[in-house]
């Protein structure tokens, strides 16, 4: 039997194809907001710092790892070194990866002294503003011969209803380096963070198991070592 010159089985087949195409229009799985990549290509230091903010606010170890140079170091304040003597003067990239993985897990963890550290549930960057321009660091700088800029910051670390929100306020000096990256025949700089110097406000140290409103940037990271 034919209808308008087309065999009936063919009509049935076309209808099935249309149904299949309609089913492909939407996914039945909603992506985890923490895994959505809302980053930009880090062709400039400012783009890189946008990705740094996204990494913390979405608590994404993968985004932060992409933004961080293999030789990255975080220079800690003396007060942080005194409170956490096992850390030394700096955090290398391996230490940063461990710390951020534990912090971003949202789970309670234990530090090397078996103190319980409440899990961070959300991170907000209330202030993350570059002060001045990017400039070349001097050969005598703690991280020499790179580009650096000072950022005014205020970070909030929400630890749930049972604990106060930790707040980091002050300045962090960021150091960045770049290499060429070629994709689809286009070569662009690819920036990564190669260093940070913690210059945030330095309130009196408190024990990790006690709620603390204000903390230095390095001391918050050190809790999750």
């Amino acid at each position: 039997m034919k209808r308008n010159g087309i065999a009936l089985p063919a009509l049935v087949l076309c209808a099935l194809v249309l149904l299949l195409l309609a089913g492909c229009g939407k996914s039945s799985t909603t992506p985890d907001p923490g895994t959505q990549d809302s980053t930009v290509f880090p062709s400039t230091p400012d783009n890189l710092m946008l990705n740094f903010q996204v990494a913390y606010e979405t608590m994404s170890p993968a985004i932060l790892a992409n933004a961080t140079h293999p030789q990255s170091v975080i220079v800690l304040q003396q007060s942080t070194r005194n409170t956490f003597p096992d850390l030394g003067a700096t955090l290398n990239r391996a230490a940063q990866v461990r710390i951020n993985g534990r912090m971003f897990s949202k789970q309670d963890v234990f530090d090397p002294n078996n103190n319980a550290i409440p899990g961070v549930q959300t991170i907000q960057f209330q202030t993350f503003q570059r002060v001045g321009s990017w400039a070349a660091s001097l050969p005598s700088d703690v991280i020499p011969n790179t580009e650096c800029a000072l950022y005014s910051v205020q970070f909030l670390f929400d630890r749930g209803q049972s604990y106060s929100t930790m707040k980091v306020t002050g300045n962090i000096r960021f150091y960045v380096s770049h290499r060429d990256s070629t994709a689809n025949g286009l070569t662009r700089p690819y920036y990564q963070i190669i260093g940070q110097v913690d210059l945030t406000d330095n309130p009196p140290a408190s024990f990790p198991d006690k709620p603390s409103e204000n903390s230095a940037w390095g001391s918050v990271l050190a809790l999750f070592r």
Side-chain angles (χ1 to χ4, degrees):
M1 178 179 177
K2 292 185 178 181
R3 183 179 297 173
N4 297 330
I6 301 177
L8 186 58
L11 285 172
V12 174
L13 180 60
C14 287
L16 290 173
V17 170
L18 288 173
L19 286 172
L20 288 172
L21 289 174
C24 292
K26 293 183 178 180
S27 171
S28 60
T29 302
T30 301
D32 180 353
T35 63
Q36 291 179 348
D37 192 347
S38 54
T39 60
V40 294
F41 189 86
S43 57
T44 67
D46 288 335
N47 281 354
L48 170 63
M49 302 315 293
L50 288 174
N51 292 346
F52 177 83
Q53 179 172 351
V54 168
Y56 273 93
E57 292 193 326
T58 62
M59 302 179 75
S60 170
I63 294 176
L64 191 56
N66 289 336
T68 305
H69 192 278
Q71 297 177 350
S72 173
V73 294
I74 298 176
V75 181
L76 303 173
Q77 297 189 42
Q78 187 61 52
S79 62
T80 300
R81 304 175 201 175
N82 294 341
T83 307
F84 306 95
D86 55 304
L87 281 180
T90 62
L91 298 175
N92 62 21
R93 191 173 188 273
Q96 294 174 49
V97 168
R98 170 179 166 79
I99 286 168
N100 292 315
R102 284 158 60 85
M103 178 189 292
F104 294 169
S105 72
K106 301 186 179 182
Q107 303 298 314
D108 296 350
V109 297
F110 289 90
D111 70 9
N113 299 319
N114 208 35
N115 294 309
I117 307 301
V120 172
Q121 303 307 307
T122 62
I123 301 172
Q124 295 180 12
F125 278 34
Q126 289 200 323
T127 303
F128 192 55
Q129 181 66 46
R130 177 163 50 80
V131 179
S133 59
W134 290 95
S137 62
L138 299 174
S140 59
D141 203 319
V142 62
I143 303 176
N145 305 316
T146 63
E147 295 177 66
C148 64
L150 191 68
Y151 271 72
S152 175
V153 307
Q154 185 173 91
F155 305 151
L156 299 182
F157 297 81
D158 180 5
R159 299 184 289 176
Q161 295 181 351
S162 300
Y163 299 91
S164 65
T165 297
M166 292 188 296
K167 181 167 65 175
V168 171
T169 303
N171 297 311
I172 302 173
R173 187 174 298 279
F174 287 92
Y175 297 77
V176 300
S177 66
H178 72 273
R179 56 180 171 80
D180 288 336
S181 175
T182 302
N184 300 321
L186 177 64
T187 300
R188 292 181 289 177
Y190 188 98
Y191 278 86
Q192 291 180 304
I193 298 170
I194 197 168
Q196 302 174 43
V197 174
D198 180 15
L199 303 171
T200 54
D201 294 348
N202 183 20
S206 62
F207 292 104
D209 58 338
K210 294 182 179 179
S212 175
E213 285 287 343
N214 299 292
S215 300
W217 171 232
S219 294
V220 170
L221 298 176
L223 289 175
F224 295 87
R225 68 200 188 284

